[in-house]
């Protein structure tokens, strides 16, 4: 573990002493937050109240009352490019530098923990939150996250890597059971978290809303205690995603430390009751308390720090990140970069009103905002503009296309700014297709028809289809570039900067080319990960499925030669392999290249994808300059997870090391022989059937059950209702529909009311629809108690007698609790004295 910065362990002794001085009531109270963004303080023991707030690509500290998802404006902060863009830079040093800037801005605003980065795997392009995640590959995701965590925490500010685990869609995210085999879990969905924990030791890990193979992540002993803490050595605390606590007492037992936001004491009361009646052991609770108190103590140190934030420097850093994360997908006839003498038709509202970040809890209020139109005026006076579409709500408007065609005819070059409006992708809901708005597609096709020298600049958070892909000469994938993206794009278009981004995800021709598409988004309460390891490029390479643009692809204005490849086995035990090569800039412009190493097991006895990313680096070279690159591979670079051994195993045999400019642009192939670390168990062989590869495009139920090692469980029924019934599911009865509408109205009112922003309204409505009934109670902060909710559920189920019994039982329990509490308060008073 490489962790030079103070973590929770540095406060262990001080936190332990404070916990020993706490009363049971005080301990239970520290199981949840004070409100939306603050952890509770206890003045008696000098425990401070500290603040956490959203990231991950910029500070989102709300200036007014909190609503979590962005109805209320936040303080100005630098809006860096989102994770999808940062990952495309393939530059971990850059991400660490951005982390440092984020940490400084947190100190400026007295924020102890920045909630990010997000590193869930991009299983399917439809996921509405893909813009907030790094990659479809766990190795790249993990190292991007680790770099950002190191950067933030180097400033003495904490991070919260999220969402742990298997949170790969927004539809049903609060109640879904993700059914996935353990090998796939280990190799795909947990690997990035493992890298980030071991390499950077974040202060906190945020558990996801969903279930994984049964238990909710907030009470998943295997995930939180056995894997995260015991195996990986995680020292920090586990915090819920906002409203993700299910059974709070079971959560404490299973390693969940902090419930956020504060729920008005609803769950604290349950913890205290469990402690009093012996259901919860105080020693177990004390472990949770030590971690919670340690974070508050570290947060107190943040409040004592001073830093002079240079917002202009951070803006310049955001610009550099935008340049490095922009991907040049296509550049026929070297149309780009443009000469200043070219007359240019700039088409598309995004040129003047950019879509520069995603929608939802990561939405940042930028310190300033650049646009491409203004930036391009610095390069040429020969500019024409046509809006082409409405940026917020693109309906089919032929007149706007006609105006754009007229402008395109008058210019040497046409640049069409197109992409996805925020209404198409956001937290809380998934996309239902990969298409751009019809107006955007029609616009691009019409402009290309009259001007062969057309450049398309895309702004989007995830892959899109391009029915016009052959028409423009150049396509620039800018993703979501942050506040300095306008100047970054102008610099790239006119050659002041050389694009060096490479895709951190595959761009398929259609959703049907993605193996997971058959099981996305799944049933209302269950999603089956039948595709197993065949995610992203692993599937496309293995099944030889053509893609529009492959993982790792990205062009440059210069050229790079890969020469003198060599490989050396430094050690067989432990496995250490060194790969070296020379990279030379053979063009006429400064440029950067991301070199990628993929491993292929030629003699695997069980199914393995055709290639897996094992190492990468990025080098910057002037024209004619060469650089010698060395990359080291270890045991995990060649291993698979053996469910029989419950460990990572390298089979002896021949391995290919593929050195490439992308997953499909392989420049050299080297081979090595490894002795291996052991044989694959029969259990692992059974759980990865030999005909898996032949069945890759069908994956029948029996094959998946072999991988699971059990039968696929039946999803929970939608009726009768229970605490984890979603608000959407209440539509199955007349009374349920009435209650649903009342709950939606009340929730929206509590969260700040309706907005004029259609995206926010849709996001809020979907958030409520997907919320389990227990979540409504917790967000009400005690206005709707659990016992009242349980009575209401019984009535909606038509069980009137059961409702009466629940109420009667509650009154009896209240009496017993009152007696116990009176005795407890007496004891606590004596302890304080």
């Amino acid at each position: 573990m490489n962790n030079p910065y103070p973590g929770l362990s540095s406060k262990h002794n001080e936190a332990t002493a404070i916990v020993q001085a706490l009363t049971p009531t005080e301990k239970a109270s520290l199981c949840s937050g004070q409100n939306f963004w603050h952890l509770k303080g206890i003045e008696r023991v000098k425990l401070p109240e500290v603040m956490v707030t959203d990231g991950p690509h910029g500070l989102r500290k709300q200036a007014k009352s909190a609503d979590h998802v962005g109805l209320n404006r936040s303080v100005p902060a630098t809006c860096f490019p989102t994770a999808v863009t940062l990952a495309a830079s393939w530059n971990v040093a850059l991400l660490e530098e951005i982390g440092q800037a984020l940490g400084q801005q947190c100190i400026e605003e007295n924020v102890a923990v920045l909630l990010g980065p997000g590193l869930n795997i991009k299983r399917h392009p439809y996921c509405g939150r893909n813009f907030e995640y790094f990659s479809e590959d766990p190795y790249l995701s993990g190292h991007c996250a680790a770099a950002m965590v190191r950067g933030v925490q180097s400033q003495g500010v904490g991070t919260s890597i999220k969402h742990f685990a298997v949170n790969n869609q927004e539809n049903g995210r609060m109640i879904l059971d993700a059914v996935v085999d353990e090998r796939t879990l280990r190799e795909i969905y947990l690997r990035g978290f493992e890298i980030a924990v071991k390499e950077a030791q974040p202060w906190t890990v945020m558990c996801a809303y969903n279930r994984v193979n049964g238990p909710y992540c907030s009470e998943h002993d295997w995930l939180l205690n056995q894997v995260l803490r015991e195996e990986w050595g995680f020292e920090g605390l586990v915090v819920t995603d906002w409203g993700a606590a299910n059974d709070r007492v079971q959560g404490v037992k299973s390693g969940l430390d902090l419930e956020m936001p504060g729920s008005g004491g609803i769950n604290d009361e349950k913890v205290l009751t469990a402690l009093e009646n012996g259901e919860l052991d105080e020693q177990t609770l004390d472990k949770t308390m030590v971690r919670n108190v340690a974070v508050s103590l570290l947060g107190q140190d943040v409040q004592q720090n001073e830093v002079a934030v240079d917002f202009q420097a951070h803006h310049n850093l955001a610009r550099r990140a935008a340049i490095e994360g922009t991907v040049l997908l296509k550049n026929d006839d070297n149309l780009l970069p443009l000469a200043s003498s070219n007359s240019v038709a700039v088409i598309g509202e995004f040129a003047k009103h950019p879509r520069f970040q995603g929608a939802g809890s990561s939405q940042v209020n930028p310190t300033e905002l650049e646009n491409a139109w203004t930036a391009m005026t610095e390069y040429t006076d020969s500019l024409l503009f046509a809006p082409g579409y409405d940026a917020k709500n693109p309906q089919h408007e032929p007149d706007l296309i006609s105006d754009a065609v007229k402008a395109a005819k008058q210019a040497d070059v046409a640049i069409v700014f197109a992409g996805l409006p925020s209404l198409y992708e956001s937290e809380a809901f998934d996309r239902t297709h990969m298409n751009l708005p019809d107006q955007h597609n029609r616009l691009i096709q019409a402009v290309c028809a009259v001007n062969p020298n057309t450049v398309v600049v895309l702004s989007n958070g995830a892959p899109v289809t391009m029915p016009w892909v052959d028409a423009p000469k150049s396509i620039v994938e800018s993703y979501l570039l942050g506040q300095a993206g306008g100047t970054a794009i102008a610099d790239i278009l006119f050659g002041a900067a050389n694009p060096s981004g490479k895709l951190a995800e595959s761009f398929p021709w259609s959703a049907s080319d993605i193996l997971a598409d058959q099981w996305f988004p799944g049933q209302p309460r269950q999603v089956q990960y039948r595709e197993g390891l065949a995610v992203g490029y692993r599937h496309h390479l293995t099944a030889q499925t053509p893609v529009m643009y492959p993982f790792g692809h990205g062009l440059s204005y210069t050229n790079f030669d890969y020469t003198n490849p060599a490989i050396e086995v430094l050690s067989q035990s432990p496995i250490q392999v060194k790969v070296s090569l020379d990279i030379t800039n053979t063009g006429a412009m400064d440029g950067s290249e991301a070199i990628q190493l993929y491993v292929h097991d030629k003699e695997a006895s069980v199914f393995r994808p055709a290639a897996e990313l094992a190492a990468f680096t990025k080098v910057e070279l002037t024209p004619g300059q060469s650089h010698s690159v060395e990359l080291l591979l270890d045991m995990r670079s060649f291993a698979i997870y053996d469910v029989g051994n419950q460990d990572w195993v390298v089979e002896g045999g021949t391995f290919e090391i593929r050195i490439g400019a992308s997953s499909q642009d392989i420049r050299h192939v080297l081979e090595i022989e490894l002795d291996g670390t052991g044989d694959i168990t029969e259990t692992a062989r059974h759980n990865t059937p030999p005909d898996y590869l032949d069945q890759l495009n069908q994956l029948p139920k029996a094959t998946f059950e072999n991988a699971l090692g059990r039968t696929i469980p039946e999803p929970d029924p939608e009726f009768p209702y229970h605490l984890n019934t979603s608000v959407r599911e209440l539509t199955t009865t007349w009374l349920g529909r009435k209650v649903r509408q009342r709950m939606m109205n009340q929730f929206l009112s509590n969260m700040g009311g309706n907005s004029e922003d259609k995206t926010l309204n849709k996001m809020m409505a979907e958030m409520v629809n997907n919320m389990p009934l227990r979540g409504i109670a917790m967000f009400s902060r005690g206005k709707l108690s659990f016992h009242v909710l349980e009575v209401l559920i019984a009535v909606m189920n038509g069980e009137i007698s059961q409702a009466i019994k629940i109420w009667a039982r509650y009154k009896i329990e209240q009496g017993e609790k009152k007696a116990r509490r009176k005795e407890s308060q007496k004891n606590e008073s004596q302890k304080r004295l």
Side-chain angles (χ1 to χ4, degrees), residues 350 355 389 417-421 424 436-437 440 444 457-460 464:
F350 283 170
R355 175 147 188 261
Y389 51 82
F417 287 79
L420 296 177
Y424 274 57
L436 295 176
H440 288 230
I444 294 169
V457 179
L458 293 171
S459 297
N460 46 288
V464 295

Side-chain angles (χ1 to χ4, degrees), residues 644-661:
N645 274 322
Q646 288 288 287
D647 202 358
W648 296 89
V649 176
V650 178
E651 286 190 284
T654 305
F655 290 84
E656 282 184 357
I657 308 299
R658 301 174 180 177
I659 306 172

Side-chain angles (χ1 to χ4, degrees), residues 124 481 568 686 717:
H124 198 291
L481 291 179
E568 180 182 0
H686 175 74

Side-chain angles (χ1 to χ4, degrees), residues 569-584:
V569 179
L570 301 177
S571 170
Q572 289 279 5
S573 181
I575 294 173
Q576 291 183 322
V577 176
K578 181 176 74 174
V579 178
S580 60
L581 71 149
D582 294 331
I583 184 85
T584 304

Side-chain angles (χ1 to χ4, degrees), residues 209-227:
Y209 290 110
N210 54 280
R211 301 157 64 188
V212 175
N213 293 326
Y216 279 92
C217 291
S218 62
E219 55 196 51
H220 208 301
D221 180 76
W222 183 81
L223 274 177
L224 304 185
N225 280 333
Q226 298 178 47
V227 174

Side-chain angles (χ1 to χ4, degrees), residues 344-353 373 376 382-391 397-411 413-418 439-440 443-444 446-447 450 455:
V344 180
V346 179
I347 297 167
E349 272 292 318
F350 283 170
K352 290 188 174 182
H353 304 285
W373 167 261
M376 283 190 285
S382 301
L383 293 176
L384 299 171
F385 178 75
Y389 51 82
D390 182 317
E397 299 182 65
D399 289 345
L400 291 179
I401 294 178
S402 296
D403 292 343
V405 167
K406 291 176 184 176
K409 287 180 177 178
Q410 299 175 52
V413 177
I415 305 176
V416 181
F417 287 79
Q439 178 77 359
H440 288 230
L443 176 67
I444 294 169
V447 170
V450 299
V455 180

Side-chain angles (χ1 to χ4, degrees), residues 41 65 154 170 172 192 219 341 469 496 619 661 685 715 800:
S65 59
S154 71
E170 295 299 284
E219 55 196 51
S341 58
V469 67
V619 295
R685 294 181 195 282
I800 305 303

